[in-house]
Amino acid sequence: MDGPDRAAERAQARAPEMELIREAQAGSRAAFDALVRQYEQQVLRLALHLTGSEHDAEDIYQEAFLKAFRYIGNFRFECSFYTWIYRIVTNLCLDQLRRRKTRREDQAVVLDHSGDEIDILSSVSDNRSFSNPAKELDRKVLGERIQAALSKLTPRERMVFELKHYQGLRLRTIGEMLNTTEETAKNTLFRATKKLRTQLAGIR
């Protein structure tokens, strides 16, 4: 549990950002651009990780900041800007994953800049000079099993699992991002983990 000193430090560290937000709310494009520069790499990385698609990540990155610019006036300082922009990104990613699930799109295949398909797993090279073909095959099969298991989760279960285990976020933060409670996020993570354990049972 954070003490009052730690909370005061965080508030002090966020003061310049809060001023930028107020200026952006008053119509300053320069202030909003400063907020974008502060978070653009984190937003792009999050979108890329959650969608597994460079093309989708770039679209979501642009849409997220367009939404943030449009609705910055609605920001009420009830959470950090980090949590607010991440909430926008995760909601856009959820929508994209739902559309993808509806289309039954192969999760392992993404599009690059030119529109060509790339198999994520097969494009991961092993540069070790002593690379073992048998181990490489095992790694690829394991990766495919994990991707297949993740694709069978609901979009929300997958989102919570990835935010917790790949992004390392706290359940309370995940709950805030998904506009729900920490307890609900915890229950969703429990369901996701249980499903994955069942799907991946028997793997060495």
Side-chain angles (χ1 to χ4, degrees), residues 24-25 29 32 36 62-76 81 84-85 88 92:
Q25 288 178 325
R29 181 58 189 263
F32 185 80
V36 172
Q62 291 184 18
E63 192 171 348
F65 282 116
L66 279 173
K67 275 196 167 185
F69 181 72
R70 193 177 303 142
Y71 297 110
I72 188 71
N74 294 341
F75 187 81
R76 294 287 178 260
F81 187 81
W84 190 68
I85 191 69
I88 293 173
L92 290 171

PDB file of all heavy atoms in Angstrom, residues 24-25 29 32 36 62-76 81 84-85 88 92:
ATOM      1  N   ALA A  24      -4.904  21.969 -22.855  1.00  0.00           N
ATOM      2  CA  ALA A  24      -5.523  21.290 -24.001  1.00  0.00           C
ATOM      3  C   ALA A  24      -7.030  21.445 -23.956  1.00  0.00           C
ATOM      4  O   ALA A  24      -7.689  21.651 -24.988  1.00  0.00           O
ATOM      5  CB  ALA A  24      -5.123  19.815 -24.004  1.00  0.00           C
ATOM      6  N   GLN A  25      -7.598  21.347 -22.755  1.00  0.00           N
ATOM      7  CA  GLN A  25      -9.056  21.522 -22.613  1.00  0.00           C
ATOM      8  C   GLN A  25      -9.484  22.941 -22.975  1.00  0.00           C
ATOM      9  O   GLN A  25     -10.611  23.169 -23.412  1.00  0.00           O
ATOM     10  CB  GLN A  25      -9.474  21.187 -21.177  1.00  0.00           C
ATOM     11  CG  GLN A  25      -9.407  19.693 -20.865  1.00  0.00           C
ATOM     12  CD  GLN A  25      -9.786  19.370 -19.433  1.00  0.00           C
ATOM     13  OE1 GLN A  25      -9.495  20.140 -18.517  1.00  0.00           O
ATOM     14  NE2 GLN A  25     -10.411  18.222 -19.231  1.00  0.00           N
ATOM     15  N   ARG A  29      -3.617  23.432 -28.934  1.00  0.00           N
ATOM     16  CA  ARG A  29      -3.175  22.269 -29.715  1.00  0.00           C
ATOM     17  C   ARG A  29      -1.749  21.884 -29.325  1.00  0.00           C
ATOM     18  O   ARG A  29      -1.404  20.705 -29.313  1.00  0.00           O
ATOM     19  CB  ARG A  29      -3.237  22.602 -31.214  1.00  0.00           C
ATOM     20  CG  ARG A  29      -2.820  21.474 -32.131  1.00  0.00           C
ATOM     21  CD  ARG A  29      -3.687  20.237 -31.884  1.00  0.00           C
ATOM     22  NE  ARG A  29      -3.179  19.083 -32.601  1.00  0.00           N
ATOM     23  CZ  ARG A  29      -3.641  18.690 -33.779  1.00  0.00           C
ATOM     24  NH1 ARG A  29      -4.626  19.374 -34.358  1.00  0.00           N
ATOM     25  NH2 ARG A  29      -3.145  17.627 -34.381  1.00  0.00           N
ATOM     26  N   PHE A  32      -1.862  19.674 -26.318  1.00  0.00           N
ATOM     27  CA  PHE A  32      -2.302  18.315 -26.648  1.00  0.00           C
ATOM     28  C   PHE A  32      -1.189  17.553 -27.365  1.00  0.00           C
ATOM     29  O   PHE A  32      -0.960  16.371 -27.091  1.00  0.00           O
ATOM     30  CB  PHE A  32      -3.558  18.335 -27.521  1.00  0.00           C
ATOM     31  CG  PHE A  32      -4.099  16.962 -27.775  1.00  0.00           C
ATOM     32  CD1 PHE A  32      -4.865  16.307 -26.817  1.00  0.00           C
ATOM     33  CD2 PHE A  32      -3.808  16.296 -28.958  1.00  0.00           C
ATOM     34  CE1 PHE A  32      -5.334  15.018 -27.039  1.00  0.00           C
ATOM     35  CE2 PHE A  32      -4.272  15.015 -29.189  1.00  0.00           C
ATOM     36  CZ  PHE A  32      -5.036  14.378 -28.227  1.00  0.00           C
ATOM     37  N   VAL A  36       0.553  13.924 -26.555  1.00  0.00           N
ATOM     38  CA  VAL A  36       0.724  12.844 -27.534  1.00  0.00           C
ATOM     39  C   VAL A  36       2.175  12.374 -27.536  1.00  0.00           C
ATOM     40  O   VAL A  36       2.451  11.164 -27.489  1.00  0.00           O
ATOM     41  CB  VAL A  36       0.322  13.327 -28.950  1.00  0.00           C
ATOM     42  CG1 VAL A  36       0.701  12.266 -29.995  1.00  0.00           C
ATOM     43  CG2 VAL A  36      -1.175  13.609 -29.012  1.00  0.00           C
ATOM     44  N   GLN A  62      -3.833   5.974 -34.139  1.00  0.00           N
ATOM     45  CA  GLN A  62      -4.392   7.218 -34.679  1.00  0.00           C
ATOM     46  C   GLN A  62      -5.792   7.491 -34.132  1.00  0.00           C
ATOM     47  O   GLN A  62      -6.110   8.614 -33.739  1.00  0.00           O
ATOM     48  CB  GLN A  62      -4.440   7.147 -36.206  1.00  0.00           C
ATOM     49  CG  GLN A  62      -3.057   7.173 -36.834  1.00  0.00           C
ATOM     50  CD  GLN A  62      -3.116   7.206 -38.352  1.00  0.00           C
ATOM     51  OE1 GLN A  62      -4.136   7.525 -38.933  1.00  0.00           O
ATOM     52  NE2 GLN A  62      -2.021   6.854 -38.979  1.00  0.00           N
ATOM     53  N   GLU A  63      -6.618   6.430 -34.109  1.00  0.00           N
ATOM     54  CA  GLU A  63      -7.990   6.612 -33.635  1.00  0.00           C
ATOM     55  C   GLU A  63      -8.022   6.974 -32.156  1.00  0.00           C
ATOM     56  O   GLU A  63      -8.853   7.788 -31.718  1.00  0.00           O
ATOM     57  CB  GLU A  63      -8.804   5.339 -33.892  1.00  0.00           C
ATOM     58  CG  GLU A  63     -10.303   5.555 -33.693  1.00  0.00           C
ATOM     59  CD  GLU A  63     -11.131   4.369 -34.153  1.00  0.00           C
ATOM     60  OE1 GLU A  63     -10.584   3.469 -34.830  1.00  0.00           O
ATOM     61  OE2 GLU A  63     -12.330   4.355 -33.819  1.00  0.00           O
ATOM     62  N   ALA A  64      -7.112   6.383 -31.381  1.00  0.00           N
ATOM     63  CA  ALA A  64      -7.076   6.657 -29.936  1.00  0.00           C
ATOM     64  C   ALA A  64      -6.784   8.138 -29.673  1.00  0.00           C
ATOM     65  O   ALA A  64      -7.461   8.787 -28.859  1.00  0.00           O
ATOM     66  CB  ALA A  64      -6.019   5.786 -29.259  1.00  0.00           C
ATOM     67  N   PHE A  65      -5.790   8.688 -30.366  1.00  0.00           N
ATOM     68  CA  PHE A  65      -5.467  10.093 -30.120  1.00  0.00           C
ATOM     69  C   PHE A  65      -6.510  11.041 -30.731  1.00  0.00           C
ATOM     70  O   PHE A  65      -6.728  12.136 -30.215  1.00  0.00           O
ATOM     71  CB  PHE A  65      -4.060  10.410 -30.620  1.00  0.00           C
ATOM     72  CG  PHE A  65      -2.990   9.931 -29.670  1.00  0.00           C
ATOM     73  CD1 PHE A  65      -2.088   8.963 -30.038  1.00  0.00           C
ATOM     74  CD2 PHE A  65      -2.925  10.444 -28.375  1.00  0.00           C
ATOM     75  CE1 PHE A  65      -1.113   8.506 -29.147  1.00  0.00           C
ATOM     76  CE2 PHE A  65      -1.961  10.000 -27.474  1.00  0.00           C
ATOM     77  CZ  PHE A  65      -1.054   9.028 -27.862  1.00  0.00           C
ATOM     78  N   LEU A  66      -7.149  10.617 -31.818  1.00  0.00           N
ATOM     79  CA  LEU A  66      -8.255  11.423 -32.346  1.00  0.00           C
ATOM     80  C   LEU A  66      -9.388  11.493 -31.324  1.00  0.00           C
ATOM     81  O   LEU A  66      -9.967  12.560 -31.079  1.00  0.00           O
ATOM     82  CB  LEU A  66      -8.783  10.824 -33.656  1.00  0.00           C
ATOM     83  CG  LEU A  66      -7.988  11.163 -34.911  1.00  0.00           C
ATOM     84  CD1 LEU A  66      -8.520  10.371 -36.109  1.00  0.00           C
ATOM     85  CD2 LEU A  66      -8.063  12.663 -35.216  1.00  0.00           C
ATOM     86  N   LYS A  67      -9.701  10.333 -30.718  1.00  0.00           N
ATOM     87  CA  LYS A  67     -10.753  10.302 -29.687  1.00  0.00           C
ATOM     88  C   LYS A  67     -10.346  11.135 -28.483  1.00  0.00           C
ATOM     89  O   LYS A  67     -11.166  11.864 -27.903  1.00  0.00           O
ATOM     90  CB  LYS A  67     -11.016   8.859 -29.247  1.00  0.00           C
ATOM     91  CG  LYS A  67     -11.990   8.116 -30.139  1.00  0.00           C
ATOM     92  CD  LYS A  67     -12.497   6.868 -29.445  1.00  0.00           C
ATOM     93  CE  LYS A  67     -13.694   6.321 -30.226  1.00  0.00           C
ATOM     94  NZ  LYS A  67     -14.304   5.182 -29.565  1.00  0.00           N
ATOM     95  N   ALA A  68      -9.087  11.004 -28.082  1.00  0.00           N
ATOM     96  CA  ALA A  68      -8.609  11.760 -26.923  1.00  0.00           C
ATOM     97  C   ALA A  68      -8.719  13.263 -27.187  1.00  0.00           C
ATOM     98  O   ALA A  68      -9.127  14.029 -26.311  1.00  0.00           O
ATOM     99  CB  ALA A  68      -7.160  11.383 -26.622  1.00  0.00           C
ATOM    100  N   PHE A  69      -8.361  13.672 -28.399  1.00  0.00           N
ATOM    101  CA  PHE A  69      -8.449  15.093 -28.751  1.00  0.00           C
ATOM    102  C   PHE A  69      -9.913  15.564 -28.732  1.00  0.00           C
ATOM    103  O   PHE A  69     -10.231  16.646 -28.216  1.00  0.00           O
ATOM    104  CB  PHE A  69      -7.843  15.309 -30.142  1.00  0.00           C
ATOM    105  CG  PHE A  69      -7.866  16.734 -30.599  1.00  0.00           C
ATOM    106  CD1 PHE A  69      -7.015  17.669 -30.035  1.00  0.00           C
ATOM    107  CD2 PHE A  69      -8.748  17.161 -31.589  1.00  0.00           C
ATOM    108  CE1 PHE A  69      -7.037  19.003 -30.445  1.00  0.00           C
ATOM    109  CE2 PHE A  69      -8.779  18.479 -32.002  1.00  0.00           C
ATOM    110  CZ  PHE A  69      -7.913  19.397 -31.431  1.00  0.00           C
ATOM    111  N   ARG A  70     -10.787  14.698 -29.276  1.00  0.00           N
ATOM    112  CA  ARG A  70     -12.213  15.062 -29.361  1.00  0.00           C
ATOM    113  C   ARG A  70     -12.849  15.159 -27.975  1.00  0.00           C
ATOM    114  O   ARG A  70     -13.701  16.014 -27.743  1.00  0.00           O
ATOM    115  CB  ARG A  70     -12.931  14.003 -30.203  1.00  0.00           C
ATOM    116  CG  ARG A  70     -14.342  14.398 -30.635  1.00  0.00           C
ATOM    117  CD  ARG A  70     -14.931  13.318 -31.528  1.00  0.00           C
ATOM    118  NE  ARG A  70     -14.106  13.066 -32.689  1.00  0.00           N
ATOM    119  CZ  ARG A  70     -13.883  11.869 -33.219  1.00  0.00           C
ATOM    120  NH1 ARG A  70     -14.436  10.798 -32.684  1.00  0.00           N
ATOM    121  NH2 ARG A  70     -13.111  11.728 -34.272  1.00  0.00           N
ATOM    122  N   TYR A  71     -12.422  14.269 -27.062  1.00  0.00           N
ATOM    123  CA  TYR A  71     -13.101  14.194 -25.760  1.00  0.00           C
ATOM    124  C   TYR A  71     -12.252  14.683 -24.589  1.00  0.00           C
ATOM    125  O   TYR A  71     -12.591  14.432 -23.438  1.00  0.00           O
ATOM    126  CB  TYR A  71     -13.563  12.761 -25.493  1.00  0.00           C
ATOM    127  CG  TYR A  71     -14.584  12.279 -26.495  1.00  0.00           C
ATOM    128  CD1 TYR A  71     -14.262  11.305 -27.436  1.00  0.00           C
ATOM    129  CD2 TYR A  71     -15.870  12.817 -26.515  1.00  0.00           C
ATOM    130  CE1 TYR A  71     -15.191  10.876 -28.371  1.00  0.00           C
ATOM    131  CE2 TYR A  71     -16.814  12.394 -27.445  1.00  0.00           C
ATOM    132  CZ  TYR A  71     -16.458  11.419 -28.369  1.00  0.00           C
ATOM    133  OH  TYR A  71     -17.384  11.011 -29.292  1.00  0.00           O
ATOM    134  N   ILE A  72     -11.161  15.379 -24.869  1.00  0.00           N
ATOM    135  CA  ILE A  72     -10.295  15.847 -23.782  1.00  0.00           C
ATOM    136  C   ILE A  72     -11.070  16.731 -22.799  1.00  0.00           C
ATOM    137  O   ILE A  72     -10.774  16.777 -21.601  1.00  0.00           O
ATOM    138  CB  ILE A  72      -9.065  16.608 -24.343  1.00  0.00           C
ATOM    139  CG1 ILE A  72      -8.048  16.923 -23.248  1.00  0.00           C
ATOM    140  CG2 ILE A  72      -9.493  17.883 -25.058  1.00  0.00           C
ATOM    141  CD1 ILE A  72      -7.308  15.748 -22.739  1.00  0.00           C
ATOM    142  N   GLY A  73     -12.102  17.394 -23.319  1.00  0.00           N
ATOM    143  CA  GLY A  73     -12.928  18.246 -22.450  1.00  0.00           C
ATOM    144  C   GLY A  73     -13.690  17.451 -21.408  1.00  0.00           C
ATOM    145  O   GLY A  73     -14.123  18.005 -20.386  1.00  0.00           O
ATOM    146  N   ASN A  74     -13.870  16.135 -21.659  1.00  0.00           N
ATOM    147  CA  ASN A  74     -14.604  15.288 -20.711  1.00  0.00           C
ATOM    148  C   ASN A  74     -13.703  14.719 -19.613  1.00  0.00           C
ATOM    149  O   ASN A  74     -14.195  14.071 -18.694  1.00  0.00           O
ATOM    150  CB  ASN A  74     -15.255  14.103 -21.440  1.00  0.00           C
ATOM    151  CG  ASN A  74     -16.339  14.562 -22.401  1.00  0.00           C
ATOM    152  OD1 ASN A  74     -16.843  15.679 -22.288  1.00  0.00           O
ATOM    153  ND2 ASN A  74     -16.674  13.727 -23.356  1.00  0.00           N
ATOM    154  N   PHE A  75     -12.384  14.948 -19.731  1.00  0.00           N
ATOM    155  CA  PHE A  75     -11.468  14.411 -18.723  1.00  0.00           C
ATOM    156  C   PHE A  75     -11.685  15.149 -17.408  1.00  0.00           C
ATOM    157  O   PHE A  75     -11.605  16.373 -17.344  1.00  0.00           O
ATOM    158  CB  PHE A  75     -10.014  14.584 -19.193  1.00  0.00           C
ATOM    159  CG  PHE A  75      -9.007  13.916 -18.297  1.00  0.00           C
ATOM    160  CD1 PHE A  75      -8.761  12.560 -18.400  1.00  0.00           C
ATOM    161  CD2 PHE A  75      -8.319  14.650 -17.343  1.00  0.00           C
ATOM    162  CE1 PHE A  75      -7.835  11.943 -17.567  1.00  0.00           C
ATOM    163  CE2 PHE A  75      -7.388  14.045 -16.510  1.00  0.00           C
ATOM    164  CZ  PHE A  75      -7.150  12.688 -16.625  1.00  0.00           C
ATOM    165  N   ARG A  76     -11.963  14.377 -16.344  1.00  0.00           N
ATOM    166  CA  ARG A  76     -12.362  14.987 -15.066  1.00  0.00           C
ATOM    167  C   ARG A  76     -11.287  14.833 -13.977  1.00  0.00           C
ATOM    168  O   ARG A  76     -11.577  15.054 -12.804  1.00  0.00           O
ATOM    169  CB  ARG A  76     -13.669  14.347 -14.576  1.00  0.00           C
ATOM    170  CG  ARG A  76     -14.856  14.656 -15.471  1.00  0.00           C
ATOM    171  CD  ARG A  76     -15.314  16.094 -15.317  1.00  0.00           C
ATOM    172  NE  ARG A  76     -16.416  16.405 -16.190  1.00  0.00           N
ATOM    173  CZ  ARG A  76     -16.320  17.049 -17.342  1.00  0.00           C
ATOM    174  NH1 ARG A  76     -15.122  17.452 -17.766  1.00  0.00           N
ATOM    175  NH2 ARG A  76     -17.360  17.296 -18.086  1.00  0.00           N
ATOM    176  N   PHE A  81      -3.961  10.521 -16.693  1.00  0.00           N
ATOM    177  CA  PHE A  81      -4.124  10.567 -18.147  1.00  0.00           C
ATOM    178  C   PHE A  81      -3.675   9.232 -18.753  1.00  0.00           C
ATOM    179  O   PHE A  81      -4.258   8.755 -19.722  1.00  0.00           O
ATOM    180  CB  PHE A  81      -3.301  11.718 -18.737  1.00  0.00           C
ATOM    181  CG  PHE A  81      -3.554  11.942 -20.201  1.00  0.00           C
ATOM    182  CD1 PHE A  81      -4.654  12.667 -20.635  1.00  0.00           C
ATOM    183  CD2 PHE A  81      -2.698  11.413 -21.161  1.00  0.00           C
ATOM    184  CE1 PHE A  81      -4.898  12.861 -21.988  1.00  0.00           C
ATOM    185  CE2 PHE A  81      -2.932  11.612 -22.512  1.00  0.00           C
ATOM    186  CZ  PHE A  81      -4.021  12.340 -22.931  1.00  0.00           C
ATOM    187  N   TRP A  84      -6.469   6.912 -18.575  1.00  0.00           N
ATOM    188  CA  TRP A  84      -7.536   7.357 -19.495  1.00  0.00           C
ATOM    189  C   TRP A  84      -7.211   6.981 -20.943  1.00  0.00           C
ATOM    190  O   TRP A  84      -8.051   6.407 -21.638  1.00  0.00           O
ATOM    191  CB  TRP A  84      -7.707   8.873 -19.350  1.00  0.00           C
ATOM    192  CG  TRP A  84      -8.904   9.435 -20.037  1.00  0.00           C
ATOM    193  CD1 TRP A  84     -10.216   9.226 -19.719  1.00  0.00           C
ATOM    194  CD2 TRP A  84      -8.907  10.335 -21.156  1.00  0.00           C
ATOM    195  NE1 TRP A  84     -11.028   9.943 -20.573  1.00  0.00           N
ATOM    196  CE2 TRP A  84     -10.248  10.621 -21.456  1.00  0.00           C
ATOM    197  CE3 TRP A  84      -7.893  10.918 -21.912  1.00  0.00           C
ATOM    198  CZ2 TRP A  84     -10.617  11.477 -22.501  1.00  0.00           C
ATOM    199  CZ3 TRP A  84      -8.249  11.768 -22.948  1.00  0.00           C
ATOM    200  CH2 TRP A  84      -9.599  12.044 -23.239  1.00  0.00           C
ATOM    201  N   ILE A  85      -5.989   7.277 -21.392  1.00  0.00           N
ATOM    202  CA  ILE A  85      -5.642   6.984 -22.786  1.00  0.00           C
ATOM    203  C   ILE A  85      -5.510   5.479 -22.992  1.00  0.00           C
ATOM    204  O   ILE A  85      -5.893   4.943 -24.038  1.00  0.00           O
ATOM    205  CB  ILE A  85      -4.350   7.734 -23.220  1.00  0.00           C
ATOM    206  CG1 ILE A  85      -4.154   7.630 -24.740  1.00  0.00           C
ATOM    207  CG2 ILE A  85      -3.134   7.226 -22.493  1.00  0.00           C
ATOM    208  CD1 ILE A  85      -5.153   8.382 -25.553  1.00  0.00           C
ATOM    209  N   ILE A  88      -8.947   4.075 -23.546  1.00  0.00           N
ATOM    210  CA  ILE A  88      -9.390   4.276 -24.928  1.00  0.00           C
ATOM    211  C   ILE A  88      -8.766   3.226 -25.843  1.00  0.00           C
ATOM    212  O   ILE A  88      -9.438   2.613 -26.670  1.00  0.00           O
ATOM    213  CB  ILE A  88      -9.013   5.701 -25.410  1.00  0.00           C
ATOM    214  CG1 ILE A  88      -9.818   6.750 -24.645  1.00  0.00           C
ATOM    215  CG2 ILE A  88      -9.247   5.844 -26.910  1.00  0.00           C
ATOM    216  CD1 ILE A  88      -9.401   8.187 -24.927  1.00  0.00           C
ATOM    217  N   LEU A  92     -10.634   0.156 -27.987  1.00  0.00           N
ATOM    218  CA  LEU A  92     -10.492   0.033 -29.443  1.00  0.00           C
ATOM    219  C   LEU A  92      -9.935  -1.347 -29.803  1.00  0.00           C
ATOM    220  O   LEU A  92     -10.368  -1.959 -30.783  1.00  0.00           O
ATOM    221  CB  LEU A  92      -9.567   1.129 -29.973  1.00  0.00           C
ATOM    222  CG  LEU A  92     -10.135   2.556 -29.936  1.00  0.00           C
ATOM    223  CD1 LEU A  92      -9.053   3.578 -30.287  1.00  0.00           C
ATOM    224  CD2 LEU A  92     -11.305   2.695 -30.918  1.00  0.00           C
TER     225      LEU A  92
END
